[in-house]
Amino acid sequence: MSRPRIVIVGAGFAGYRTARTLSRLTRHQADITLLNPTDYFLYLPLLPQVAAGILEPRRVSVSLSGTLPHVRLVLGEADGIDLDGRTVHYTGPEGGEGTLAYDRLVLAAGSVNKLLPIPGVAEHAHGFRGLPEALYLRDHVTRQVELAAAADDRAECAARCTFVVVGAGYTGTEVAAHGAMYTDAQVRRHPMRTGMRPRWMLLDVAPRVMPEMDERLSRTAERVLRQRGVDVRMGTSVKEATHDGVVLTDGSTVDTRTLVWCVGVRPDPLVESLGLPMERGRLLVDPHLQVPGRPELFACGDVAAVPDLNQPGQYTPMTAQHAWRHGKVCAHNVVASLGRGQRRAYRHRDMGFVVDLGGAKAAANPLGLPMSGPAAGAVTRGYHLAAMPGNRVRVAADWLLDAVLPRQAVQLGLVRSWSVPLESSSPEVARVPGRPEQSGKDAGTAGTAGTAGTAGKHADGDEGKKQPGGEPAKGQPGGEPGRNQPGGEPGKNQPGGEPAKNQPGGEPAERGPDAASAGSRSHGERAKRSQSGSPRASGKPRRAVEAAGPRSARGGSGKPGKSSRASGTGSAGKRPTAPSGPSRSAGQPADPGPEPPAHQPPPGPDIAPGPVRRTDGRAVEGDS
C-alpha cells in the first residue's frame, strides 16, 4: 500500500504547527510536503523589534528544514489548485513551475495587507506583514532622521521627521511605540540643526487604541504612547496620500515622507478562486477544520472561517494565537481521516494577550489578569520566548545586548521601496529585478480592495510596470538601471527619497529614457494582453515557464486571486516583446544614451555606471 501524500500550503503559524505535529503523529508513514515561498517560519509578533533595530532579522526567522524533520520543503507559491484532480500547481522563486499531487491538502496560506479605497495609499504607503517590509522601514526611518538632521530648512526637517502610522491595532501600536524610542535615541546622539524632534502619529477610526483587546490594555498602551510623545488620534484616518504628505479625514494636512499601513489584514486571495462557500473572504470549514463536501481538504489559520463553539454564530478571529492552535487540531484530524486516531473539534480558551511597548513597558493580561509596567514587560518577553519554536537563546542575547549597548542606526540598503509594494499577495517575499513576478495576482488583490485611481493602472498592461507592484520600467529604480542614473537613491515618488528625474511625474533625465514613454508598448500588443485571463485556482497552470530575462506585464482581472495572462501571436509559451519603434509620448523623446551590453551587470547601489564601449572597436556617443 502506498504512503499517503499530505501537502500543506503555507508555513505561517497554522501551517508550521500542522507540519510539525504531522511529522510527529505519522511516524514516517506519510509523505509530508510543505509548500512555502520562503525557507523560514516568521515569528510575526517580534517584527516591530526588527524594524526598531532591537533584533536581527534572522532571530525571528526559524529554519523550516532545520526544525521540521521528515517534512519535504518545496520553495514556491501556490497559484492553481485542481480539486478534482487533487493537484497543486506552484511557481518557484526563479520562475520554474511544478505540480504537487496530494491525498490530503491543508490550506494555511495566511493573510495579506488590507487595502481601502483611499487615493494615493497604494503608491505611497508600505505595509508591515513581512521581513522585507520591516527591513525597509528601518532603513527608511534611519535615512529620514539623518536627512532631517542635515537639513537647514525647518519645513523639510519637519516633514522628514514626521512618521504616520495608520491602524491602532496590535501591530500599529507596537510599531509606533518602538519607532518613537528608536528615533529619539538617534536624535539624542545627533541633534537636528533646527532643534526639532521626531514626531510620530498613530491614526485609527476606532474609538480607542487596540479596540479588539481588553479596555484596560488599551488604556495602558495609550498612556505609554502619549508619554513618549506619540500623537494618538482616534476617530481619524487618511483621506488622501501624496509623496509630500497626507490629508486626514478631519481636513488637516500633515507633511510627511513616511506612511506605514497597519489597518489590518485580509485572507490570501488563493482561497477565493476555489469556488467553495466563503465567509468574508475566508473558506468555510466545520469545527473539525474540514471543508464540507471535501473530505480530503482542510483549512486553518487566517484563510479559514472556523466556527467558535464558545460563541455560537461567530467565527474565531484572525490572530496568531488561534492559528497556532488551529494547526495542532488540524494535524490530528488529518491523521484521523487516514484511519488513525479520533477527530477533534476546535475549542479554545482565551489565554490573554501581551503587547510589547519597548524598553520595560508592556501591557498584558495573562489568564485575564491585567498587568502593566516592568512586570508586564517580563511576562511579555517570557511568553515570546516560550512561544517561539527556535532561536530562543539568540533572541534573549539580543535583548540583553540592547539593554546595555546603544543601537546601531545604520542603513543597510538591502530593500528598496519598489520591492515592498503595499499591493502584494506575497508580503514575505521582496521583489527583485529580473525575477518573474505575479503582477497579475497582485493586481487582482488591488482590484478587490478598491483602491481608487490605482487598481485600474496596476491591472492594465504597461501601466502596471510603472507602479511599485509590477516589474519596474527601465528608467525606474530597481528595474533595469537608467543609463546615467546611479542605483543608490530612491526615486522621487518613493517615500523619503530624493527626486529622480526619470520617475513618473518628475522631469525627464537629460540622457535617461523619457518618463512618459518608459516601458511603452504598441497599442495592438497592449490590447492582446488585456483579452485573455485564467483563474488562479482553475486547476490549469496560470502561466508558462518563464524564459530568462524580464517578462512582460500582465493585466489583472480585478478579482481576487485572478490574473490576465499575456497572449502572444507565436507558439505556446512565448510572450510578446516590446517593439523597438519610437515612443508614443507627445513630447520630443530624450536621447537614451548608449545601451549597456547584455553581459554587463547593473551597477550596485554605491557604484555609478561608467562609460560603455562598443565591442567592434568603434566609439559610441558618450564615450570619454
Side-chain angles (χ1 to χ4, degrees):
M1 182 176 179
S2 61
R3 291 153 56 100
R5 299 163 299 180
I6 305 173
V7 174
I8 305 170
V9 178
F13 279 89
Y16 181 88
R17 185 76 182 276
T18 301
R20 193 172 74 169
T21 308
L22 279 174
S23 176
R24 176 175 54 86
L25 294 177
T26 56
R27 300 177 181 178
H28 321 303
Q29 300 302 312
D31 294 329
I32 306 172
T33 301
L34 180 61
L35 177 64
N36 197 59
T38 64
D39 64 348
Y40 60 83
F41 158 73
L42 178 63
Y43 190 74
L44 273 171
L46 293 182
L47 203 57
Q49 297 192 24
V50 174
I54 299 174
L55 296 177
E56 290 302 313
R58 286 185 296 175
R59 305 297 184 256
V60 299
S61 309
V62 180
S63 170
L64 295 178
S65 57
T67 57
L68 296 177
H70 314 298
V71 174
R72 175 193 174 204
L73 173 63
V74 175
L75 292 179
E77 187 171 357
D79 53 16
I81 299 177
D82 185 355
L83 296 178
D84 297 328
R86 295 195 178 188
T87 57
V88 178
H89 179 268
Y90 68 92
T91 302
E94 296 182 352
E97 299 187 349
T99 302
L100 299 173
Y102 65 85
D103 298 307
R104 297 293 183 271
L105 175 63
V106 179
L107 294 178
S111 54
V112 298
N113 291 313
K114 179 180 179 181
L115 299 181
L116 297 177
I118 301 175
V121 166
E123 294 88 353
H124 304 291
H126 289 278
F128 202 79
R129 288 291 301 163
L131 198 56
E133 293 172 322
L135 292 175
Y136 166 75
L137 182 61
R138 184 168 69 177
D139 275 5
H140 175 77
V141 170
T142 304
R143 180 171 63 252
Q144 295 309 307
V145 173
E146 291 171 348
L147 292 175
D152 295 323
D153 182 59
R154 289 186 61 86
E156 179 187 356
C157 179
R160 291 195 180 280
C161 62
T162 298
F163 307 94
V164 179
V165 180
V166 184
Y170 185 97
T171 302
T173 300
E174 287 196 336
V175 168
H178 283 281
M181 289 188 65
Y182 179 63
T183 54
D184 285 345
Q186 281 186 268
V187 173
R188 280 196 298 268
R189 289 193 295 269
H190 302 286
M192 299 183 182
R193 295 184 181 182
T194 58
M196 304 183 69
R197 298 189 63 83
R199 174 193 181 195
W200 284 79
M201 297 181 65
L202 182 62
L203 312 177
D204 203 309
V205 295
R208 59 185 176 90
V209 174
M210 297 189 301
E212 69 278 5
M213 299 184 185
D214 185 85
E215 189 173 351
R216 288 168 292 189
L217 288 182
S218 175
R219 290 197 300 266
T220 299
E222 184 171 351
R223 183 176 65 253
V224 172
L225 290 172
R226 294 190 183 278
Q227 288 174 351
R228 291 184 182 161
V230 177
D231 185 1
V232 181
R233 298 191 185 184
M234 296 293 98
T236 307
S237 188
V238 174
K239 182 179 180 181
E240 182 181 0
T242 66
H243 167 67
D244 298 321
V246 293
V247 179
L248 305 184
T249 53
D250 59 7
S252 60
T253 300
V254 178
D255 293 335
T256 181
R257 302 291 189 271
T258 307
L259 182 59
V260 187
W261 195 253
C262 302
V263 297
V265 295
R266 59 184 296 266
D268 191 286
L270 170 67
V271 298
E272 295 186 357
S273 53
L274 295 177
L276 297 174
M278 308 291 294
E279 171 63 29
R280 294 187 178 181
R282 293 196 282 174
L283 192 61
L284 274 174
V285 298
D286 60 21
H288 302 94
L289 307 179
Q290 197 167 22
V291 177
R294 292 282 180 178
E296 79 287 354
L297 182 60
F298 296 79
C300 53
D302 289 350
V303 299
V306 183
D308 191 341
L309 299 183
N310 296 331
Q311 302 181 33
Q314 298 186 22
Y315 300 92
T316 58
M318 298 167 60
T319 63
Q321 188 177 122
H322 281 290
W324 187 251
R325 298 175 183 178
H326 286 175
K328 182 178 180 180
V329 175
C330 184
H332 280 276
N333 291 337
V334 169
V335 174
S337 71
L338 297 173
R340 184 180 301 173
Q342 298 294 324
R343 294 201 307 169
R344 301 181 181 183
Y346 178 73
R347 291 183 180 272
H348 70 93
R349 179 189 175 194
D350 188 3
M351 303 296 291
F353 289 91
V354 294
V355 182
D356 192 336
L357 300 174
K361 303 289 186 178
N365 62 343
L367 301 177
L369 178 65
M371 303 176 65
S372 61
V379 169
T380 298
R381 297 203 167 183
Y383 169 81
H384 286 316
L385 286 179
M388 288 193 68
N391 298 345
R392 296 187 181 96
V393 175
R394 290 183 172 91
V395 169
D398 275 5
W399 282 341
L400 178 61
L401 292 175
D402 180 70
V404 298
L405 296 176
R407 298 181 197 175
Q408 294 176 299
V410 294
Q411 302 178 53
L412 299 179
L414 300 177
V415 182
R416 300 302 179 85
S417 175
W418 58 264
S419 64
V420 283
L422 184 63
E423 296 181 23
S424 172
S425 53
S426 301
E428 67 274 12
V429 179
R431 305 301 170 85
V432 296
R435 187 185 70 188
E437 302 294 354
Q438 300 185 11
S439 56
K441 173 181 167 185
D442 297 337
T445 306
T448 302
T451 306
T454 62
K457 291 183 179 181
H458 284 253
D460 184 22
D462 292 311
E463 290 296 328
K465 294 191 75 173
K466 299 176 184 178
Q467 302 297 337
E471 188 74 16
K474 279 192 174 185
Q476 304 268 356
E480 190 171 338
R483 275 50 169 195
N484 61 347
Q485 178 180 339
E489 293 297 326
K492 181 178 181 180
N493 66 337
Q494 309 296 346
E498 290 299 319
K501 293 187 177 182
N502 59 349
Q503 297 292 336
E507 295 294 330
E510 292 182 2
R511 294 178 55 206
D514 188 3
S517 61
S520 63
R521 300 288 187 269
S522 66
H523 177 74
E525 184 187 5
R526 215 176 284 174
K528 290 179 183 179
R529 278 201 302 272
S530 62
Q531 289 175 356
S532 63
S534 60
R536 179 181 179 184
S538 63
K540 298 180 181 180
R542 189 180 62 174
R543 52 185 180 273
V545 179
E546 297 296 336
R551 65 191 293 179
S552 59
R554 290 191 299 266
S557 63
K559 296 181 181 180
K562 297 187 178 182
S563 61
S564 295
R565 190 170 181 175
S567 58
T569 57
S571 60
K574 293 185 179 180
R575 298 187 180 275
T577 57
S580 58
S583 168
R584 296 174 58 91
S585 60
Q588 181 68 21
D591 179 15
E595 184 72 18
H599 64 274
Q600 177 176 329
D606 297 318
I607 303 175
V612 180
R613 300 184 181 277
R614 298 174 61 98
T615 57
D616 56 4
R618 292 183 295 170
V620 297
E621 182 178 347
D623 277 357
S624 57

